[in-house]
Structure formats: structure tokens, C-alpha cells
Amino acid sequence: MKIGPRYKIARRLGADVFDKTQTQKYALRESQKSPSKKRMRSKTDYGIQFNEKQRVRFTYGVSEKQFSNYVNLSMEKPGGQSPAEMLFSLLESRLDNVIYRLGYAGSRQMARQMSNHGHFTVNGKRVNIPSYKVSLGDKIGIREASNKKVLFTTLAEKMKTVTGVPSWIKFDLAKKIAEIQGAPKLVAADVKLNFPAVIEFYSR
């Protein structure tokens, strides 16, 4: 997905939208800029909800059409989850996001490239679709041929320091096998993104 100038987008939506704008370099660059002389306008509910929609979309790195499909599915799918919880679950269950959460990649963009190149398997079968939805019981591993590449042979030591692997994923670092043991749960206190606002935006 072509995103555009990340620094410009991050100034509008927040530094935590992209991994590259959550650095000291970005913070220093922004602190050295002169304060804007433009008059700050108060945002409408529509503007706030639109920005939240963009924040979520850019954070997970999906296109507008793809994101709309996720929202529509969240609002139509029956079950015990709210649309906001379902949207969060769908986005978190993407293969590229799981690869990112496991620490194989420093950003979702890199995780998307790695999965697109077919470096990973799901239940022993090679999958090269970043948006592939993992399900309960699925096992994600590194393709045997990819294991020999420098990209992966140097990851073992680095991944020992990885923290924050979601509780719904069981990860065996020694075997480099991850198993989906639950569903992503939206806990507002742990998530910086406002998923209910996104649903409100599409419900207008």
C-alpha cells in the first residue's frame, strides 16, 4: 500500500502511527520546528472520527478499500463481540501483524514484505498473503528454505529480547513456532487507538 510522506501524516495523526516516527530522531526534528502560526480550529465529531479511522488504517498499513471491507464485516458479523472488538480482532489476526507481534520484523511494513515473499508457513504450508487471517490452532513457522537466509539466521539472538508477544499467541523461540491459542481481545486501556470512534464514523 502506498502511504505517502510518513512524517507529514504523523504530524497530523500522531507520532505513534508509524514505527519510524516513534524515534528520538523524529522527536528531535519536530522539537526544532517553529510553532505554527496557523489558527487552530476546533475539530468536529466527524473530524475526530475521521482522524481516528486514519490512525487505525495507517497503523495496520491497509488500503482504504481493504479497511472498509474489514469495517463492513465487523458490523455485519453476528456474535458476542461488538463491531469495534471484531474490527480489532480482524486486524490483529492478519499474518503480517502476527509476524510483527512476534518480533520477526521491526515494523508492520517490513512484516508485510517478509510475508509477501513467502518466508512463513501456516500449518506447514507456505503462505505469501500478508492479509491471511490466522485462526485458533494455526501454527506459524519459518519456511525451511528461508531459515538458511541471513535475515533469519541473525534473528535468534535479537528475538530473545522481544517483549509484548500477545497472550493469545504461544511462541516457542527455540523451535521458532508460534501457535494461535485464542482470539485478540480489545482492551481500551492497552490500546492507543479508538476503535469505537472508527465504527461511529462508518455508521454515520
Side-chain angles (χ1 to χ4, degrees), residues 102-121:
L102 291 172
Y104 282 118
S107 67
R108 286 186 177 87
Q109 182 183 19
M110 183 185 296
R112 185 161 51 255
Q113 292 175 344
M114 292 169 73
S115 56
N116 196 42
H117 291 162
H119 289 308
F120 294 90
T121 62

Side-chain angles (χ1 to χ4, degrees), residues 82-144:
S82 69
E85 291 170 332
M86 177 61 71
L87 177 59
F88 174 76
S89 181
L90 288 172
L91 291 170
E92 284 288 311
S93 297
R94 286 172 56 98
L95 178 60
D96 56 359
N97 181 74
V98 171
I99 292 169
Y100 169 71
R101 293 294 191 194
L102 291 172
Y104 282 118
S107 67
R108 286 186 177 87
Q109 182 183 19
M110 183 185 296
R112 185 161 51 255
Q113 292 175 344
M114 292 169 73
S115 56
N116 196 42
H117 291 162
H119 289 308
F120 294 90
T121 62
V122 178
N123 300 326
K125 295 182 179 180
R126 184 186 185 190
V127 176
N128 60 358
I129 304 173
S131 61
Y132 179 91
K133 184 182 181 300
V134 299
S135 303
L136 184 65
D138 281 350
K139 293 184 178 181
I140 296 92
I142 301 173
R143 190 169 64 104
E144 187 175 352

Side-chain angles (χ1 to χ4, degrees), residues 47 49 56 60 74 79 81 89 94 103 110 112 135 158 177 183 197-198:
Q49 292 164 3
V56 174
Y60 286 93
S74 300
Q81 291 180 305
S89 181
R94 286 172 56 98
M110 183 185 296
R112 185 161 51 255
S135 303
K158 175 185 173 184
I177 295 290
V198 176

Side-chain angles (χ1 to χ4, degrees), residues 16-126:
D16 56 344
V17 173
F18 304 116
D19 294 281
K20 70 176 293 184
T21 56
Q22 297 181 53
T23 62
Q24 290 183 341
K25 179 181 177 181
Y26 175 78
L28 179 61
R29 176 173 172 172
E30 291 302 295
S31 67
Q32 292 174 339
K33 289 190 174 184
S34 300
S36 176
K37 294 182 179 180
K38 292 183 179 179
R39 182 181 177 184
M40 298 296 292
R41 297 179 180 177
S42 58
K43 291 182 180 178
T44 62
D45 288 344
Y46 175 88
I48 293 173
Q49 292 164 3
F50 175 79
N51 277 355
E52 288 302 324
K53 183 266 290 188
Q54 293 293 77
R55 277 172 53 78
V56 174
R57 187 170 74 82
F58 283 125
T59 295
Y60 286 93
V62 297
S63 68
E64 185 69 53
K65 181 178 180 181
Q66 200 171 29
F67 190 73
S68 295
N69 288 339
Y70 281 130
V71 174
N72 289 334
L73 184 59
S74 300
M75 297 173 74
E76 295 171 1
K77 195 169 178 127
Q81 291 180 305
S82 69
E85 291 170 332
M86 177 61 71
L87 177 59
F88 174 76
S89 181
L90 288 172
L91 291 170
E92 284 288 311
S93 297
R94 286 172 56 98
L95 178 60
D96 56 359
N97 181 74
V98 171
I99 292 169
Y100 169 71
R101 293 294 191 194
L102 291 172
Y104 282 118
S107 67
R108 286 186 177 87
Q109 182 183 19
M110 183 185 296
R112 185 161 51 255
Q113 292 175 344
M114 292 169 73
S115 56
N116 196 42
H117 291 162
H119 289 308
F120 294 90
T121 62
V122 178
N123 300 326
K125 295 182 179 180
R126 184 186 185 190

